[in-house]
Amino acid sequence: MIKLVAIDIDGTLLNDKHEITPEVHMAIHQAKAKGVKVVLCTGRPLTGVQQYLTDLELKREGDYVITFNGAMVQDTFTKEVISHLTLDYDHVVDIYNMSREIGLHMHYNDVNNLYTPNRDIGKYTVYEAHMTNTPLFYVPVEEIPKDVMASKVMFIDETEILEPAIAKIPTAFGEKYNLVRSSPYFLEVLNPEASKGSAVERLAKKLGIQQSEVMCIGDQENDSTMIEYAGVGVAMDNAIDKIKDMSDFITLSNNESGVAHAINKYVLEG
């Protein structure tokens, strides 16, 4: 019996119009009515999930959300932070120096805001701020506060720029952080212990839910750890091949209410 369903947002919960279809909304409502924990698990910051938590009524007692690709787990009712795995000042400067070395734009998040040390602000930094409704600030690297606690850092650029730049990243750098590709134009840099899979596992253990009772649904590389952890790993039909290959089930696409199809099959119908 599935007791916890973790759902990615972009490309999974949302269709290509950035909407939650009525079918998905109904399936989530019915799963919650059955006593199943439904948890949004996203690379987005907290500011970028609030409207969906409200729309899906996931701010009630006993509800949780996982943000920043697993760096933060929070109770949405009490606002208690269950875990927050961050990057400090030295990490942020180190990552900035790497971005300059390989020729990429970068930005970083704290809990509430988005910051970039790039005077020539990248267009995908602006896109990220707009998409997640997050205030954006230009802060030169020499002005970054020494007490900064970054939830995540992102390398961002056009795919044709990002791909060859990623290939230049030294192995030693990759061993210091968790590097996660969350879209064709985002490479996210996280605390080495932060991932969607580890966050779902921490939450499941807190709630006394067994691994076999967890279903995770996603579409991109940053969903791989939670798909791997889940008792039932579900890939969207629009998912990348890596996610499809490692999943137990391939549901319909995000434009065909694939989340609802998976919940109906494994939660509501059993």
Side-chain angles (χ1 to χ4, degrees):
M1 179 179 177
I2 298 298
K3 296 182 179 179
L4 188 158
V5 180
I7 308 171
D8 170 56
I9 292 182
D10 296 292
T12 302
L13 177 74
L14 305 180
N15 63 19
D16 289 347
K17 296 180 180 179
H18 301 287
E19 300 168 335
I20 302 173
T21 67
E23 293 81 6
V24 170
H25 197 287
M26 178 60 71
I28 289 175
H29 176 76
Q30 291 175 335
K32 280 182 59 68
K34 194 175 178 180
V36 175
K37 296 287 185 184
V38 177
V39 179
L40 301 188
C41 187
T42 178
R44 289 177 177 234
L46 281 169
T47 51
V49 301
Q50 295 302 325
Q51 73 175 92
Y52 306 119
L53 294 173
T54 299
D55 291 347
L56 295 170
E57 299 180 359
L58 294 176
K59 291 184 176 181
R60 298 185 176 183
E61 188 171 1
D63 284 331
Y64 298 87
V65 66
I66 296 170
T67 52
F68 300 112
N69 272 317
M72 177 176 278
V73 182
Q74 185 176 39
D75 184 314
T76 62
F77 181 73
T78 66
K79 309 303 181 186
E80 176 192 3
V81 174
I82 309 304
S83 65
H84 190 195
L85 304 173
T86 59
L87 299 165
D88 63 22
Y89 172 82
D90 290 336
H91 294 136
V92 174
V93 173
D94 180 44
I95 297 166
Y96 168 78
N97 289 336
M98 179 55 63
S99 75
R100 304 308 294 174
E101 184 176 328
I102 62 178
L104 293 175
H105 289 89
M106 67 86 80
H107 60 235
Y108 60 95
N109 292 83
D110 62 14
V111 173
N112 299 309
N113 301 310
L114 182 67
Y115 307 89
T116 179
N118 301 137
R119 185 179 297 276
D120 59 328
I121 299 176
K123 80 172 189 178
Y124 288 112
T125 293
V126 177
Y127 171 79
E128 172 77 356
H130 175 73
M131 182 180 71
T132 63
N133 195 33
T134 305
L136 170 61
F137 299 92
Y138 164 61
V139 179
V141 66
E142 60 272 12
E143 296 180 16
I144 295 175
K146 294 295 191 295
D147 62 350
V148 64
M149 294 178 60
S151 300
K152 68 174 182 177
V153 183
M154 298 172 69
F155 292 148
I156 66 274
D157 258 308
E158 299 288 356
T159 304
E160 59 268 26
I161 298 173
L162 188 61
E163 293 276 3
I166 290 174
K168 297 177 184 176
I169 296 176
T171 302
F173 181 86
E175 292 173 347
K176 290 192 289 185
Y177 307 102
N178 181 18
L179 305 183
V180 180
R181 191 78 178 269
S182 58
S183 85
Y185 34 82
F186 291 155
L187 178 69
E188 312 207 4
V189 187
L190 305 167
N191 180 297
E193 296 182 11
S195 72
K196 287 189 176 186
S198 63
V200 173
E201 181 177 8
R202 284 194 298 274
L203 181 58
K205 288 180 177 178
K206 174 181 173 60
L207 298 173
I209 295 173
Q210 301 297 314
Q211 184 176 357
S212 61
E213 299 169 326
V214 176
M215 179 170 78
C216 296
I217 313 173
D219 71 309
Q220 288 293 325
E221 182 181 333
N222 62 327
D223 299 314
S224 62
T225 54
M226 72 172 184
I227 295 289
E228 183 177 29
Y229 168 75
V232 178
V234 178
M236 303 299 291
D237 189 55
N238 52 285
I240 61 174
D241 289 342
K242 175 181 177 178
I243 297 299
K244 289 182 177 180
D245 291 343
M246 67 191 307
S247 295
D248 301 298
F249 177 67
I250 300 175
T251 187
L252 302 175
S253 75
N254 62 323
N255 291 321
E256 300 169 301
S257 303
V259 165
H261 183 60
I263 291 176
N264 288 335
K265 178 178 177 65
Y266 287 99
V267 177
L268 303 180
E269 298 171 5

